[in-house]
Amino acid sequence: MSSPANAAAMPRVAVVGMYAFLIVSALFFLAPFLVILINSVKPMADIRSGNLLTLPSEITFEPWRIAWSSACTGLDCSGIKPGLWNSILITVPAVVISVLTGALNGYALAQWRSRFADWLMLFILIGLFVPYQAMLYPTVKILSGMGIFRSYTGIIFVHVVYGLPYTTLLFRNFYVGVPDEISRAARMEGASFLRTFWSVILPISTNIIVVVAILQFTGIWNDYLLGLIFAGNDNLPMTVQLTNIVNNSRGAAEPNVNMAAALLAAIPTLIVYFVSGRYFVRGIATGAVKG
Amino acid sequence: MYNISLNKIRKTYGDLTILHSVEMEITEGEFVVILGSSGCGKSTLLNIVAGLDTCDSGQILIGDKDVTDLEPSDRDLSMVFQSYALFPSMTVRRNLSFGMEVARVPKAEREAKVAKVAQLLQIDALLDRKPSQLSGGQRQRVAIGRALVRSTGVCLFDEPLSNLDAKLRTETRVELKKLHNDLGFTMLYVTHDQVEAMTMADRVAVMNKGRVEQFAPPQEIYEKPANLFVASFVGSPEINQIAGHLSGNGSLDIGKTHIDLSGYAFENGTRPAQDAILAVRCEDIKIVPPAAGHITAQLDFVELLGADALAWVLYHGKRLSVRMGVDQARALESEVGLQFDLTKASVFCTKDGHRL
């Protein structure tokens, strides 16, 4: 990455070249998004004539309205609206819990200087490399045994547990760089491990909390597989309903509605990135230097 | 009562022994400095006293209460860390009162104590700032304040001045000593800086490789070092050492030169014949005309230090230092006689280094 200071020192040709490259890259990644955006406001007539890449003859928000409130997901024709609320109900607690447990885990592992701690960390890391699909069947059996399969509790539990290796790793690497004397000073003051974590350590972890929260938020919000399997019919997240709309076999396919629905599902993550982008970059950099 | 006694403290990491059966008796209100180079075990010892580290065997008594297995917060002591270790997210005020908050001290009492300590350390104006808005010296004051505010009588210091610049270090040193006089706390202070040890301590424990080599008042450490390690570790420039053979009639033979040691007070009064080392501080040597002193040496070079001067002379290929006035140093001839003040010198056994 190049900071403005570096850009000023570069010869003019290089600056022009750099911006040209950046703009082309941005266009490359934005192109599919633009196609979806354009088609989501096209009337069906334009689409039937096969002009996916042209601008709409007239702009209509009807596909958005249909996608939001009247598109059919299977037998139910109330659009993607109920899924939004389900997704929020799943994502918010799952993010909060997985960030807090990850931070606590990471802090404990960073504090505990022993060979066992290193081995434990290694085992936790293995969790990162095993694909979800391989763990699905055992997880289904375990959750059935616990009586929370296809329930609201179940889906949150699964998201928290599947997220733990990642959140633990990120927090541990951050906390290894925090001077040990701060924790020891808190211990001298009589604070317990949990009190130290809550009053002293967590308040200085803002950057890494934001990074982990964003990663978890996007991961859980965009999740389809776990939501489909573990959430149960009453709690299906937006992504599952989106797929149902797109795959609905009744009536003619309506690409403009599908694209509007896809955009609706993506809006929350976009908002999160725009709002917290500054923290995100800062947190990533901190983690990189200190990890 | 806040006396501290350390009873046969042992600590090992695998095959490495950090502390060999350390014993120390610290009386109430005493300022004890543990002095040693890095890796001698002094910080480990302090952490064990604080309760942040455990010992393999031994016993720690604070005020006659066995605290060996107690948590740090149950030991009635507080600690100042080298890196200050202030809580970054809290204001100075909360840093000072955090320990009392944890202990559920009522708010009014917390505020009164914080105000009192803040005034004592002149940090009242800083109470609402965050640590990141303070200079190094201010942070150190806050760290000391945090230790004092909760302290009931024992304070531990882990090289608290080593992150400060030279001028601030001198000032804080004086203040700390004054604070000790005013409050009468028992203080245990770890450092590698012998000036801090000499100026602040009531007694100094010199540590080397996990052992206490000598535990005595600073002036005694300087004047009557218990062994060769202490003699050479304390003092700058390093103490002059002249190796020879101690003969039965009480003289040190260096080749054909004989130094009459009748002016030297031997320990126990005995002086068995053996190889020995005569150690003399640079200020205990007088320059005399060649052949008139104990030995004759060649002048190597002179360092002018402002207030006084150091003359470096060569004797049998060994460099010795002599402290003198600047005028005298300017007038030195190339060959000089050295007269030792034997009442202030030390004689050590060559084999095991102990004082004879």
Side-chain angles (χ1 to χ4, degrees):
Chain A
M1 241 190 286
S2 193
S3 71
N6 290 341
M10 275 197 268
R12 200 177 187 85
V13 181
V15 175
V16 172
M18 187 184 77
Y19 277 108
F21 174 77
L22 288 176
I23 290 167
V24 169
S25 311
L27 284 178
F28 180 78
F29 287 107
L30 279 175
F33 178 74
L34 285 175
V35 170
I36 294 180
L37 191 65
I38 289 169
N39 282 293
S40 72
V41 293
K42 263 183 199 173
M44 271 307 286
D46 281 20
I47 291 175
R48 284 202 197 90
S49 58
N51 295 327
L52 266 183
L53 295 179
T54 57
L55 289 173
S57 60
E58 59 164 318
I59 291 180
T60 167
F61 290 99
E62 188 61 13
W64 285 71
R65 197 192 58 74
I66 297 172
W68 175 243
S69 59
S70 68
C72 294
T73 61
L75 293 174
D76 178 25
C77 286
S78 53
I80 206 168
K81 191 168 53 179
L84 174 74
W85 187 235
N86 283 346
S87 277
I88 291 174
L89 279 182
I90 292 171
T91 307
V92 172
V95 168
V96 171
I97 297 171
S98 65
V99 166
L100 283 180
T101 45
L104 189 59
N105 266 355
Y107 178 57
L109 279 168
Q111 283 285 299
W112 188 21
R113 301 275 156 78
S114 95
R115 225 169 343 140
F116 300 110
D118 293 343
W119 279 107
L120 201 60
M121 194 64 224
L122 191 68
F123 280 121
I124 293 175
L125 282 185
I126 290 175
L128 277 180
F129 301 117
V130 181
Y132 282 4
Q133 289 81 348
M135 296 191 280
L136 278 183
Y137 182 65
T139 313
V140 168
K141 291 300 276 181
I142 291 169
L143 289 204
S144 307
M146 292 166 71
I148 52 173
F149 179 52
R150 293 181 74 77
S151 73
Y152 180 61
T153 323
I155 181 66
I156 289 178
F157 181 77
V158 166
H159 276 308
V160 169
V161 170
Y162 277 23
L164 269 186
Y166 201 38
T167 56
T168 303
L169 173 74
L170 288 172
F171 274 108
R172 179 195 166 268
N173 286 355
F174 176 79
Y175 287 137
V176 162
V178 172
D180 202 25
E181 284 196 344
I182 291 180
S183 301
R184 295 200 292 156
R187 199 173 152 202
M188 289 301 300
E189 296 289 305
S192 63
F193 176 81
L194 283 178
R195 181 69 192 258
T196 307
F197 172 70
W198 186 257
S199 299
V200 178
I201 298 299
L202 217 47
I204 58 173
S205 318
T206 324
N207 287 349
I208 192 73
I209 288 176
V210 171
V211 170
V212 176
I214 291 175
L215 291 173
Q216 281 295 97
F217 184 89
T218 43
I220 295 174
W221 188 273
N222 292 334
D223 158 71
Y224 165 73
L225 186 64
L226 300 180
L228 176 69
I229 297 172
F230 294 101
N233 287 337
D234 295 339
N235 309 307
L236 288 179
M238 222 172 174
T239 44
V240 175
Q241 299 194 331
L242 173 64
T243 326
N244 288 346
I245 289 176
V246 174
N247 291 340
N248 194 1
S249 50
R250 298 198 314 161
E254 293 180 295
N256 53 356
V257 173
N258 296 347
M259 291 182 190
L263 285 178
L264 280 170
I267 283 173
T269 46
L270 286 177
I271 292 175
V272 166
Y273 269 108
F274 280 126
V275 169
S276 53
R278 200 164 45 98
Y279 280 102
F280 188 68
V281 171
R282 206 191 287 162
I284 293 246
T286 323
V289 173
K290 290 189 175 159
Chain B
M1 289 297 285
Y2 291 103
N3 53 321
I4 304 172
S5 44
L6 308 180
N7 215 336
K8 295 195 174 129
I9 306 288
R10 248 183 83 83
K11 176 79 180 171
T12 55
Y13 286 118
D15 294 338
L16 195 66
T17 306
I18 307 292
L19 297 173
H20 301 265
S21 190
V22 170
E23 305 236 9
M24 225 182 269
E25 289 290 335
I26 299 164
T27 57
E28 181 171 16
E30 199 173 17
F31 197 130
V32 169
V33 172
I34 302 177
L35 177 67
S37 48
S38 55
C40 73
K42 59 188 193 298
S43 286
T44 309
L45 183 66
L46 193 74
N47 281 332
I48 288 174
V49 175
L52 294 170
D53 208 339
T54 55
C55 53
D56 297 335
S57 65
Q59 195 188 29
I60 305 152
L61 300 175
I62 295 179
D64 299 327
K65 185 169 89 173
D66 187 345
V67 298
T68 317
D69 300 317
L70 293 185
E71 267 294 296
S73 49
D74 299 329
R75 296 187 178 200
D76 287 340
L77 43 76
S78 51
M79 183 161 171
V80 178
F81 293 88
Q82 183 176 4
S83 67
Y84 322 133
L86 300 176
F87 308 128
S89 63
M90 300 181 190
T91 60
V92 169
R93 189 189 304 280
R94 276 212 68 204
N95 260 288
L96 293 178
S97 65
F98 179 68
M100 292 187 289
E101 265 175 56
V102 172
R104 295 178 200 280
V105 174
K107 192 158 184 243
E109 192 184 334
R110 290 203 307 254
E111 280 173 358
K113 278 194 174 171
V114 168
K116 198 174 137 208
V117 166
Q119 203 183 8
L120 185 70
L121 292 169
Q122 294 154 22
I123 49 176
D124 340 34
L126 311 174
L127 280 178
D128 292 312
R129 294 204 204 165
K130 292 273 179 69
S132 58
Q133 297 165 308
L134 303 178
S135 69
Q138 290 170 331
R139 284 180 209 189
Q140 189 52 273
R141 278 165 180 279
V142 176
I144 293 171
R146 187 175 61 184
L148 294 183
V149 78
R150 228 171 40 84
S151 178
T152 43
V154 180
C155 267
L156 309 179
F157 296 87
D158 188 4
E159 310 213 19
L161 305 186
S162 57
N163 283 354
L164 300 178
D165 63 51
K167 185 167 171 285
L168 213 51
R169 196 159 20 187
T170 316
E171 288 172 16
T172 318
R173 207 170 67 203
V174 175
E175 269 180 62
L176 214 51
K177 182 68 189 164
K178 200 170 153 293
L179 215 54
H180 174 251
N181 288 340
D182 294 347
L183 299 173
F185 285 176
T186 309
M187 293 186 173
L188 189 55
Y189 185 108
V190 160
T191 183
H192 63 268
D193 183 328
Q194 45 174 295
V195 180
E196 286 175 23
M198 295 300 290
T199 52
M200 291 195 287
D202 294 325
R203 276 196 296 168
V204 178
V206 181
M207 280 190 72
N208 179 36
K209 294 179 184 159
R211 287 192 172 84
V212 176
E213 299 281 358
Q214 190 172 4
F215 185 32
Q219 208 55 38
E220 186 180 329
I221 297 259
Y222 189 78
E223 287 168 357
K224 282 191 175 352
N227 53 47
L228 196 56
F229 173 82
V230 176
S232 60
F233 186 74
V234 178
S236 172
E238 195 180 325
I239 198 165
N240 296 305
Q241 296 170 27
I242 301 159
H245 184 80
L246 188 63
S247 63
N249 61 15
S251 76
L252 188 74
D253 305 337
I254 309 145
K256 291 193 181 100
T257 315
H258 306 284
I259 300 177
D260 181 15
L261 291 181
S262 53
Y264 177 77
F266 280 95
E267 301 275 307
N268 312 326
T270 56
R271 57 190 102 157
Q274 59 187 297
D275 285 345
I277 293 171
L278 176 68
V280 195
R281 300 269 175 210
C282 62
E283 63 269 25
D284 298 331
I285 304 179
K286 230 167 54 192
I287 300 281
V288 293
H294 288 115
I295 58 171
T296 304
Q298 279 72 45
L299 181 67
D300 195 10
F301 61 92
V302 172
E303 286 180 318
L304 299 177
L305 304 175
D308 51 15
L310 275 181
W312 293 87
V313 300
L314 286 171
Y315 176 67
H316 285 291
K318 234 183 123 125
R319 198 172 272 152
L320 309 177
S321 59
V322 185
R323 197 183 288 274
M324 65 188 71
V326 173
D327 291 340
Q328 193 188 0
R330 285 206 176 103
L332 282 180
E333 307 277 336
S334 66
E335 202 172 58
V336 293
L338 302 183
Q339 178 76 34
F340 304 132
D341 183 347
L342 290 172
T343 56
K344 290 182 178 169
S346 303
V347 178
F348 300 107
C349 166
T350 306
K351 210 160 59 189
D352 61 9
H354 76 268
R355 188 184 180 87
L356 290 172

